[in-house]
Amino acid sequence: ELEARLTATPDDLDARLALAARRLVQDDVDAALALFAEIHRQDAGYRDGIGRRGLAALMDHLGSDDPRLARYRRLLFNH
């Protein structure tokens, strides 16, 4: 249902956040990272910066050596 909402309305940040939370519960960290990054890209101030805060929390959880994090670090520093 959430994916259908995003397909129909890609700027639905509430659906994107709910889907990120669901992906975390399912231990799909890659999808959660991408969803938080897109939230941050679309609206950095949405829900007091939840996109940035979600990315930062996942980065801390994964550790600084995780190779997946390089592109998300660039996003945070460039945006």
PDB file of all heavy atoms in Angstrom, residues 15-33:
ATOM      1  N   ALA A  15       4.195   8.890   3.561  1.00  0.00           N
ATOM      2  CA  ALA A  15       4.264   7.505   3.083  1.00  0.00           C
ATOM      3  C   ALA A  15       5.715   7.050   3.015  1.00  0.00           C
ATOM      4  O   ALA A  15       6.039   5.910   3.383  1.00  0.00           O
ATOM      5  CB  ALA A  15       3.599   7.373   1.720  1.00  0.00           C
ATOM      6  N   ARG A  16       6.594   7.917   2.568  1.00  0.00           N
ATOM      7  CA  ARG A  16       8.014   7.560   2.463  1.00  0.00           C
ATOM      8  C   ARG A  16       8.603   7.276   3.846  1.00  0.00           C
ATOM      9  O   ARG A  16       9.355   6.319   4.025  1.00  0.00           O
ATOM     10  CB  ARG A  16       8.779   8.682   1.766  1.00  0.00           C
ATOM     11  CG  ARG A  16      10.131   8.257   1.272  1.00  0.00           C
ATOM     12  CD  ARG A  16      10.742   9.292   0.347  1.00  0.00           C
ATOM     13  NE  ARG A  16       9.969   9.548  -0.857  1.00  0.00           N
ATOM     14  CZ  ARG A  16       9.987   8.785  -1.941  1.00  0.00           C
ATOM     15  NH1 ARG A  16      10.729   7.702  -1.978  1.00  0.00           N
ATOM     16  NH2 ARG A  16       9.266   9.111  -2.988  1.00  0.00           N
ATOM     17  N   LEU A  17       8.254   8.081   4.832  1.00  0.00           N
ATOM     18  CA  LEU A  17       8.732   7.868   6.199  1.00  0.00           C
ATOM     19  C   LEU A  17       8.174   6.563   6.769  1.00  0.00           C
ATOM     20  O   LEU A  17       8.902   5.790   7.395  1.00  0.00           O
ATOM     21  CB  LEU A  17       8.359   9.052   7.083  1.00  0.00           C
ATOM     22  CG  LEU A  17       8.762   8.957   8.546  1.00  0.00           C
ATOM     23  CD1 LEU A  17      10.286   8.788   8.681  1.00  0.00           C
ATOM     24  CD2 LEU A  17       8.293  10.194   9.299  1.00  0.00           C
ATOM     25  N   ALA A  18       6.899   6.314   6.554  1.00  0.00           N
ATOM     26  CA  ALA A  18       6.294   5.068   7.040  1.00  0.00           C
ATOM     27  C   ALA A  18       6.961   3.852   6.394  1.00  0.00           C
ATOM     28  O   ALA A  18       7.203   2.837   7.056  1.00  0.00           O
ATOM     29  CB  ALA A  18       4.788   5.065   6.771  1.00  0.00           C
ATOM     30  N   LEU A  19       7.269   3.957   5.115  1.00  0.00           N
ATOM     31  CA  LEU A  19       7.929   2.858   4.422  1.00  0.00           C
ATOM     32  C   LEU A  19       9.364   2.674   4.938  1.00  0.00           C
ATOM     33  O   LEU A  19       9.825   1.539   5.112  1.00  0.00           O
ATOM     34  CB  LEU A  19       7.918   3.096   2.915  1.00  0.00           C
ATOM     35  CG  LEU A  19       8.418   1.947   2.050  1.00  0.00           C
ATOM     36  CD1 LEU A  19       7.644   0.667   2.310  1.00  0.00           C
ATOM     37  CD2 LEU A  19       8.320   2.332   0.573  1.00  0.00           C
ATOM     38  N   ALA A  20      10.056   3.764   5.237  1.00  0.00           N
ATOM     39  CA  ALA A  20      11.403   3.664   5.816  1.00  0.00           C
ATOM     40  C   ALA A  20      11.354   2.923   7.151  1.00  0.00           C
ATOM     41  O   ALA A  20      12.181   2.053   7.418  1.00  0.00           O
ATOM     42  CB  ALA A  20      12.018   5.053   5.988  1.00  0.00           C
ATOM     43  N   ALA A  21      10.382   3.259   7.969  1.00  0.00           N
ATOM     44  CA  ALA A  21      10.225   2.583   9.260  1.00  0.00           C
ATOM     45  C   ALA A  21       9.933   1.100   9.066  1.00  0.00           C
ATOM     46  O   ALA A  21      10.508   0.246   9.754  1.00  0.00           O
ATOM     47  CB  ALA A  21       9.111   3.244  10.064  1.00  0.00           C
ATOM     48  N   ARG A  22       9.079   0.786   8.123  1.00  0.00           N
ATOM     49  CA  ARG A  22       8.758  -0.615   7.841  1.00  0.00           C
ATOM     50  C   ARG A  22      10.003  -1.366   7.371  1.00  0.00           C
ATOM     51  O   ARG A  22      10.250  -2.495   7.768  1.00  0.00           O
ATOM     52  CB  ARG A  22       7.652  -0.709   6.806  1.00  0.00           C
ATOM     53  CG  ARG A  22       7.297  -2.154   6.492  1.00  0.00           C
ATOM     54  CD  ARG A  22       6.014  -2.293   5.783  1.00  0.00           C
ATOM     55  NE  ARG A  22       4.945  -1.881   6.691  1.00  0.00           N
ATOM     56  CZ  ARG A  22       3.715  -1.621   6.291  1.00  0.00           C
ATOM     57  NH1 ARG A  22       3.382  -1.733   5.036  1.00  0.00           N
ATOM     58  NH2 ARG A  22       2.800  -1.253   7.154  1.00  0.00           N
ATOM     59  N   ARG A  23      10.791  -0.729   6.513  1.00  0.00           N
ATOM     60  CA  ARG A  23      12.016  -1.382   6.014  1.00  0.00           C
ATOM     61  C   ARG A  23      13.011  -1.621   7.158  1.00  0.00           C
ATOM     62  O   ARG A  23      13.693  -2.637   7.185  1.00  0.00           O
ATOM     63  CB  ARG A  23      12.668  -0.557   4.907  1.00  0.00           C
ATOM     64  CG  ARG A  23      11.843  -0.483   3.646  1.00  0.00           C
ATOM     65  CD  ARG A  23      11.602  -1.863   3.062  1.00  0.00           C
ATOM     66  NE  ARG A  23      10.822  -1.789   1.848  1.00  0.00           N
ATOM     67  CZ  ARG A  23       9.603  -2.294   1.721  1.00  0.00           C
ATOM     68  NH1 ARG A  23       9.026  -2.922   2.724  1.00  0.00           N
ATOM     69  NH2 ARG A  23       8.961  -2.201   0.579  1.00  0.00           N
ATOM     70  N   LEU A  24      13.075  -0.705   8.105  1.00  0.00           N
ATOM     71  CA  LEU A  24      13.950  -0.918   9.259  1.00  0.00           C
ATOM     72  C   LEU A  24      13.497  -2.114  10.085  1.00  0.00           C
ATOM     73  O   LEU A  24      14.318  -2.930  10.509  1.00  0.00           O
ATOM     74  CB  LEU A  24      13.990   0.333  10.138  1.00  0.00           C
ATOM     75  CG  LEU A  24      14.867   1.461   9.628  1.00  0.00           C
ATOM     76  CD1 LEU A  24      14.716   2.690  10.503  1.00  0.00           C
ATOM     77  CD2 LEU A  24      16.313   1.027   9.562  1.00  0.00           C
ATOM     78  N   VAL A  25      12.208  -2.227  10.299  1.00  0.00           N
ATOM     79  CA  VAL A  25      11.666  -3.361  11.048  1.00  0.00           C
ATOM     80  C   VAL A  25      11.981  -4.674  10.326  1.00  0.00           C
ATOM     81  O   VAL A  25      12.260  -5.695  10.954  1.00  0.00           O
ATOM     82  CB  VAL A  25      10.145  -3.195  11.267  1.00  0.00           C
ATOM     83  CG1 VAL A  25       9.509  -4.465  11.784  1.00  0.00           C
ATOM     84  CG2 VAL A  25       9.877  -2.029  12.210  1.00  0.00           C
ATOM     85  N   GLN A  26      11.985  -4.627   8.999  1.00  0.00           N
ATOM     86  CA  GLN A  26      12.286  -5.807   8.188  1.00  0.00           C
ATOM     87  C   GLN A  26      13.791  -6.011   8.020  1.00  0.00           C
ATOM     88  O   GLN A  26      14.220  -6.906   7.314  1.00  0.00           O
ATOM     89  CB  GLN A  26      11.632  -5.673   6.810  1.00  0.00           C
ATOM     90  CG  GLN A  26      10.135  -5.646   6.861  1.00  0.00           C
ATOM     91  CD  GLN A  26       9.501  -5.238   5.536  1.00  0.00           C
ATOM     92  OE1 GLN A  26      10.115  -4.577   4.703  1.00  0.00           O
ATOM     93  NE2 GLN A  26       8.249  -5.629   5.360  1.00  0.00           N
ATOM     94  N   ASP A  27      14.593  -5.168   8.650  1.00  0.00           N
ATOM     95  CA  ASP A  27      16.054  -5.210   8.581  1.00  0.00           C
ATOM     96  C   ASP A  27      16.578  -5.008   7.164  1.00  0.00           C
ATOM     97  O   ASP A  27      17.606  -5.562   6.778  1.00  0.00           O
ATOM     98  CB  ASP A  27      16.583  -6.518   9.179  1.00  0.00           C
ATOM     99  CG  ASP A  27      18.041  -6.398   9.601  1.00  0.00           C
ATOM    100  OD1 ASP A  27      18.459  -5.283   9.970  1.00  0.00           O
ATOM    101  OD2 ASP A  27      18.752  -7.412   9.545  1.00  0.00           O
ATOM    102  N   ASP A  28      15.872  -4.190   6.390  1.00  0.00           N
ATOM    103  CA  ASP A  28      16.303  -3.828   5.038  1.00  0.00           C
ATOM    104  C   ASP A  28      16.944  -2.439   5.121  1.00  0.00           C
ATOM    105  O   ASP A  28      16.338  -1.428   4.776  1.00  0.00           O
ATOM    106  CB  ASP A  28      15.116  -3.840   4.081  1.00  0.00           C
ATOM    107  CG  ASP A  28      15.520  -3.629   2.629  1.00  0.00           C
ATOM    108  OD1 ASP A  28      16.701  -3.303   2.373  1.00  0.00           O
ATOM    109  OD2 ASP A  28      14.637  -3.785   1.761  1.00  0.00           O
ATOM    110  N   VAL A  29      18.178  -2.422   5.598  1.00  0.00           N
ATOM    111  CA  VAL A  29      18.873  -1.163   5.860  1.00  0.00           C
ATOM    112  C   VAL A  29      19.112  -0.382   4.575  1.00  0.00           C
ATOM    113  O   VAL A  29      18.992   0.843   4.557  1.00  0.00           O
ATOM    114  CB  VAL A  29      20.200  -1.429   6.605  1.00  0.00           C
ATOM    115  CG1 VAL A  29      21.003  -0.161   6.777  1.00  0.00           C
ATOM    116  CG2 VAL A  29      19.911  -2.060   7.951  1.00  0.00           C
ATOM    117  N   ASP A  30      19.443  -1.073   3.489  1.00  0.00           N
ATOM    118  CA  ASP A  30      19.698  -0.386   2.221  1.00  0.00           C
ATOM    119  C   ASP A  30      18.478   0.420   1.769  1.00  0.00           C
ATOM    120  O   ASP A  30      18.608   1.576   1.365  1.00  0.00           O
ATOM    121  CB  ASP A  30      20.100  -1.380   1.131  1.00  0.00           C
ATOM    122  CG  ASP A  30      21.453  -2.013   1.400  1.00  0.00           C
ATOM    123  OD1 ASP A  30      22.350  -1.311   1.909  1.00  0.00           O
ATOM    124  OD2 ASP A  30      21.601  -3.205   1.111  1.00  0.00           O
ATOM    125  N   ALA A  31      17.315  -0.189   1.836  1.00  0.00           N
ATOM    126  CA  ALA A  31      16.090   0.509   1.441  1.00  0.00           C
ATOM    127  C   ALA A  31      15.796   1.672   2.385  1.00  0.00           C
ATOM    128  O   ALA A  31      15.406   2.753   1.947  1.00  0.00           O
ATOM    129  CB  ALA A  31      14.910  -0.453   1.403  1.00  0.00           C
ATOM    130  N   ALA A  32      15.997   1.470   3.681  1.00  0.00           N
ATOM    131  CA  ALA A  32      15.747   2.538   4.650  1.00  0.00           C
ATOM    132  C   ALA A  32      16.687   3.715   4.405  1.00  0.00           C
ATOM    133  O   ALA A  32      16.257   4.872   4.448  1.00  0.00           O
ATOM    134  CB  ALA A  32      15.898   2.009   6.069  1.00  0.00           C
ATOM    135  N   LEU A  33      17.956   3.438   4.136  1.00  0.00           N
ATOM    136  CA  LEU A  33      18.903   4.515   3.823  1.00  0.00           C
ATOM    137  C   LEU A  33      18.429   5.321   2.620  1.00  0.00           C
ATOM    138  O   LEU A  33      18.422   6.556   2.650  1.00  0.00           O
ATOM    139  CB  LEU A  33      20.285   3.933   3.526  1.00  0.00           C
ATOM    140  CG  LEU A  33      21.136   3.495   4.701  1.00  0.00           C
ATOM    141  CD1 LEU A  33      22.299   2.638   4.223  1.00  0.00           C
ATOM    142  CD2 LEU A  33      21.637   4.701   5.481  1.00  0.00           C
TER     143      LEU A  33
END
